[in-house]
Amino acid sequence: MFDDVDGPEQKTLLRLLIIVGIGLPILIEVVTFGSMMGHHLTGDAGGETAAGTPTAEPTGAGVGDPILEESAVTARIESASVVTADDGWRFTLTVNVTNTASDAAAVRLDSVTTRNGQTLNEGASTERLATNQTGAVTKSWLLPPGERPDTVTTTVLVYPDDGTAQSTQYTVALGDIPISNR
């Protein structure tokens, strides 16, 4: 196979080609593996964004976030999910509520609006909660396939002793809700 190689120059060239042919792929693999391990261990995202390029900040409420800032009750998203199916995407929202008002109160999830602007007017409500009492409300909406929830309309109902319920409606922007296909 190498019978026609004569002289020291050709033997040196042949050795160099063999070293490069074997060494270069090994070097590439070592650098790639080292880079992956470095990113994994340091959490580096792999470079910096270009100057002046805005980074999208997550907006809207997610799991664990409060949703009623200026209200007589406190409410926090306990769980939120979107599950894909053939007939649509099922959005399920659970909100924990604590009545911090001096009167009985309730929270109602009225409707959800998708990112394309379609509103689904189906609701669910907590029971009437006494002062400092906690409760939860869960509602599930069937969104069109491929649609994600954008906002949820929420109403706080306060029941003073005179019997006339007072309602205040809030539109809560939702952040990125996890999607799964279970």
Side-chain angles (χ1 to χ4, degrees):
M1 178 169 162
F2 298 113
D3 295 336
D4 59 346
V5 176
D6 295 343
E9 317 74 50
Q10 290 179 339
K11 287 183 181 180
T12 304
L13 181 62
L14 183 62
R15 286 183 187 134
L16 184 62
L17 289 174
I18 290 172
I19 290 171
V20 170
I22 294 173
L24 187 62
I26 291 173
L27 179 65
I28 290 171
E29 290 298 322
V30 167
V31 169
T32 302
F33 181 73
S35 175
M36 287 183 351
M37 288 305 295
H39 292 302
H40 178 72
L41 295 175
T42 63
D44 185 14
E48 304 206 7
T49 59
T53 303
T55 303
E57 291 293 323
T59 58
V63 174
D65 291 338
I67 60 170
L68 303 175
E69 298 296 328
E70 300 172 12
S71 172
V73 299
T74 59
R76 186 173 302 276
I77 296 176
E78 178 181 315
S79 65
S81 65
V82 176
V83 178
T84 62
D86 292 335
D87 57 341
W89 288 17
R90 174 80 44 198
F91 168 54
T92 304
L93 179 67
T94 300
V95 176
N96 281 339
V97 178
T98 301
N99 182 7
T100 56
S102 57
D103 296 314
V107 171
R108 184 176 64 219
L109 302 176
D110 293 320
S111 63
V112 67
T113 302
T114 64
R115 290 185 179 174
N116 76 350
Q118 183 178 356
T119 300
L120 303 169
N121 291 312
E122 305 165 18
S125 179
T126 64
E127 297 177 0
R128 228 181 246 205
L129 303 172
T131 301
N132 295 323
Q133 185 179 6
T134 61
V137 57
T138 299
K139 179 61 185 149
S140 182
W141 292 271
L142 184 63
L143 307 178
E147 280 301 315
R148 297 184 69 175
D150 188 42
T151 62
V152 63
T153 303
T154 306
T155 301
V156 176
L157 301 158
V158 178
Y159 302 95
D161 291 335
D162 68 6
T164 306
Q166 300 169 351
S167 66
T168 306
Q169 194 171 54
Y170 299 89
T171 300
V172 179
L174 298 171
D176 284 332
I177 306 298
I179 298 175
S180 68
N181 60 0
R182 282 199 215 196

